[in-house]
Amino acid sequence: MEIIGQGYYRKESYEKVTGKAKYTNDFETNDMLHAALVTSPLGHAMIKSIEDSDAKRIPGVRAVILGGGLPLTGEEIRDRPPIAVDRVRYHGEVVAIIVAESPFLAKRGAAALKVHYEPIPVVNSPTEALDPAAPILHENLGKYEKIPIAYPEPGTNIANRTKVRKGDISQGWAESTVTVEGKFSFRPSDHVAMETRCSYAQIHANGDIEITSSSQAPFMIKRMIGEYFGIPNGKIIVNTPLVGGAFGGKASIQLEILSYIASKAVGGRLVKILNSREEDILTSPCHIGLDATVKLGCTDDGILKAAEILYLFDGGAYADKSADLSRAGAVDCTGPYNIHHIWCDSLCMYTNHPYASPFRGFGHSEVLFAFERTMDMLANKLKMDPLELRNKNAILPGDTTPTQVLLNSSNVGNLPKCISKLKQLIHWDEGQIIDSGNNILRAKGISCIWKTSTIDTDASSGVILTFNHDGTINLMSGVVEIGTGTKTILAQMLAEKMKMEMKDIHVQMNVNTQSTPDHWKTVGSRGTFMAGRALLVAANDAIRQLKRRAVFLLRAPEEDLEVGYGHVYLRDDPSIKIPIKEIAYGYKFLNGNAIGGQIIGRGTYTLRHISDLDKETTAGKPGPEWTVGAQGVEVEIDTKHYTYKILKAVSVIDIGKVLNRETALGQVKGAMSIGLSFAGRETFVFDSFGRVLNHQFRTYRPIRYGEHPEYIVDFVETPQIDAPFGARGVGEHGLIGMPAALGNSLSAALGAPVNYLPIIPELLWRIKEGGPAGGRN
């Protein structure tokens, strides 16, 4: 069979293109109640009073829920009340929930609630948060419950510090003859998923809690809500239908907690919470911001010797996943380069901004923007080709990562080959800058990428296969279909393994935590790897059962049998065979006697040899592999008006093995577009009160149709030995180097460092004509 590598349509594509696909908000019942959220209009304020009598008097309003008496929540540090109590810490923080018989009545009740605030000083950036004179946002930081690997610093705004200490930084500087230092910054932004967040919950008569949510992490919802509220895990059921985009933003748990609280307040009735677009941007977790300082040292011939780094992540008002994001940024802090001496402090800072959730790339596009811009600054100082500098220092098998993991060709792939292919595809030898006349320049910028997944050391995935009477197979996995096509890839793996047609594999798209096997989270480019390993175990289990059942029917030992093409057959004489459909549900003899039953294959996989990271050095193994790649951007810029157009974006990624070429291309190109939008367009604009001023699509402008460049994607295939069919994760990697490549192209064109995002014409004008003081847009 030649299933692997082919470009099959996604299993759910027909439902989606015909509009028949059902998402969370598409489910309604006559007895469903609706909730509206009352949110803070200020970034930091004391709640002086709440008057709810007018809201309660509105006909159809069933409950007004205020803060107090609820457990603190948060995945790593439990610092967040689900509903604010006494104080709000970000613009958009929930201060009350109104439950009513219709969305209109709920919003009317929300409008009638009178909340009186007293503004207090705002912390408006992570750099401000580090200032000893800044207001402390969490006075009880030392008392919060936390996981063992979270390291908050009480009495400060530091929610977590990750320290990378590799080699001897003093020796690294002593060996360096050329040094550069750069400062970089960008604010938080949004994920802009097409489907806004939505959740509904009910409590059944037997006490079972059922939650349906647009989420990337249904099993984490089940676990965390159980822990927060002291509910036995088996009493919680979470459903996740198809998800209309997530990009990490739906990995955090927020509306699910609120919908459960709302249901409990009305006697367990079904209550739905749906974010409007403005609410989705403003009140739910956002894309993290960063202030960074990177200093590099090298020899005269460009061999990197030292990297000294400070990453200040804008974690927002609550730690939630931002502590983990800052850790992930530290793990791969230097990009894919062999550097013996590294000193990196990566801090998650509390600010009065919306709190952060993962964003496609999980901290990597953020830190690599800073690091890859510094690499270009170093190349300029050395008067060396930027590609040559990267190729000279490329991480190789036998080198070690910043966390001191020894690499080999299986777990890191071939970066030099990616660089070589990129050089061809972007036509680098034609020149980095081409003057077209009339103030028009064409410029190219490049970057290198890598990423591993900082993942729970015991993260696991399961797959169940059940056979139908006709010999076809039902495939069940806890991976959430968020647009990645992972469940189609799983079907391809199964078809290849069982030597059967793709049409004969029926994939369950929805996830129900009571009947679907557990999958940790659909994040970190881990779905194909983890669920793929589990699927191969399940397939082998099913094959063993089929062979055992066929042994006495074919009168041959198990080791002489093969399974495929719809039959169990004798491998040296395929004419001796029995159709799978005749034994998939047992076998019935001519006299009516029957044996066996339905074949059910099951498999699980838990990541192996993943370790916690040392507190003082961050030594340890955070993930199973590092996917590497090289990326480039070509722009056309008007140096008089500082407007520019992105002409071409190129990615070459060592994918290990291409499983489905079309979905792989789609994943990488889609990620590239998000990376360019983040780099060139997207940001929150805050005022002095910490308010987000652009929480509507009229003023928050991602790249739109017609504004995209030509996307060129190619792959290198260096198999990862322990991965299913040798494939590495690639769901995030197209994004990671785009901001740096765009920054490098425009820096080259202007002859001035572009170290801030988003790169809008006004920023370029300020950098070139307004001087350094105008750099921060």
Side-chain angles (χ1 to χ4, degrees), residues 679-693:
R681 294 292 193 84
E682 298 186 48
T683 189
F684 286 161
V685 178
F686 296 96
D687 68 7
S688 60
F689 292 97
R691 294 179 295 196
V692 180
L693 301 182

Side-chain angles (χ1 to χ4, degrees), residues 394-459:
I395 199 100
L396 299 171
D399 296 336
T400 57
T401 71
T403 66
Q404 303 176 45
V405 176
L406 181 64
L407 298 172
N408 56 53
S409 60
S410 172
N411 63 15
V412 77
N414 192 330
L415 181 59
K417 192 170 183 179
C418 293
I419 293 173
S420 177
K421 275 198 173 187
L422 173 69
K423 186 175 183 179
Q424 297 170 19
L425 291 174
I426 205 168
H427 305 294
W428 187 258
D429 288 339
E430 293 178 2
Q432 187 177 7
I433 301 175
I434 299 172
D435 191 339
S436 302
N438 298 318
N439 303 307
I440 302 298
L441 296 180
R442 293 177 67 144
K444 300 167 186 173
I446 51 89
S447 63
C448 289
I449 65 166
W450 73 341
K451 182 184 183 295
T452 190
S453 51
T454 45
I455 195 167
D456 286 5
T457 58
D458 60 350

Side-chain angles (χ1 to χ4, degrees), residues 102-116:
S102 71
F104 171 77
L105 291 172
K107 290 184 181 299
R108 194 176 154 201
L113 198 74
K114 295 181 177 66
V115 187
H116 300 276

Side-chain angles (χ1 to χ4, degrees), residues 554 560-565 567-571 574 576-577:
L554 298 180
D560 287 350
L561 301 179
E562 293 287 348
V563 174
Y565 311 102
H567 293 81
V568 182
Y569 58 91
L570 202 61
R571 61 181 179 178
I576 301 174
K577 61 187 177 181

Side-chain angles (χ1 to χ4, degrees), residues 519-698:
H519 178 77
W520 179 66
K521 294 179 187 177
T522 307
V523 297
S525 303
R526 289 278 62 89
T528 297
F529 179 78
M530 292 173 60
R533 285 290 303 263
L535 176 122
L536 294 178
V537 175
N540 284 328
D541 181 38
I543 288 169
R544 280 193 298 271
Q545 293 180 58
L546 288 167
K547 286 182 177 180
R548 285 195 207 106
R549 192 162 291 175
V551 160
F552 71 96
L553 297 170
L554 298 180
R555 298 177 177 85
E558 192 175 321
E559 58 269 23
D560 287 350
L561 301 179
E562 293 287 348
V563 174
Y565 311 102
H567 293 81
V568 182
Y569 58 91
L570 202 61
R571 61 181 179 178
D572 58 309
D573 186 357
S575 65
I576 301 174
K577 61 187 177 181
I578 186 168
I580 289 175
K581 64 183 180 181
E582 292 187 13
I583 60 174
Y585 259 75
Y587 184 78
K588 189 174 183 179
F589 294 93
L590 294 176
N591 67 354
N593 292 164
I595 58 169
Q598 183 186 25
I599 298 289
I600 301 175
R602 77 281 183 274
T604 60
Y605 176 75
T606 300
L607 290 168
R608 59 176 170 80
H609 298 166
I610 308 301
S611 63
D612 289 333
L613 305 176
D614 183 84
K615 181 182 179 182
E616 297 304 321
T617 65
T618 309
K621 187 175 182 181
E625 94 291 336
W626 282 257
T627 297
V628 296
Q631 298 185 290
V633 168
E634 183 176 356
V635 300
E636 182 179 84
I637 182 171
D638 181 333
T639 57
K640 181 178 181 180
H641 299 100
Y642 299 102
T643 56
Y644 68 91
K645 180 180 180 182
I646 305 171
L647 303 177
K648 184 185 297 182
V650 183
S651 290
V652 181
I653 299 175
D654 192 335
I655 197 172
K657 172 68 177 177
V658 176
L659 300 179
N660 182 317
R661 178 159 293 276
E662 297 307 316
T663 57
L665 290 171
Q667 281 295 288
V668 176
K669 289 180 180 181
M672 292 165 72
S673 73
I674 294 175
L676 291 174
S677 192
F678 156 41
R681 294 292 193 84
E682 298 186 48
T683 189
F684 286 161
V685 178
F686 296 96
D687 68 7
S688 60
F689 292 97
R691 294 179 295 196
V692 180
L693 301 182
N694 60 330
H695 57 282
Q696 300 171 328
F697 275 169
R698 288 189 291 274

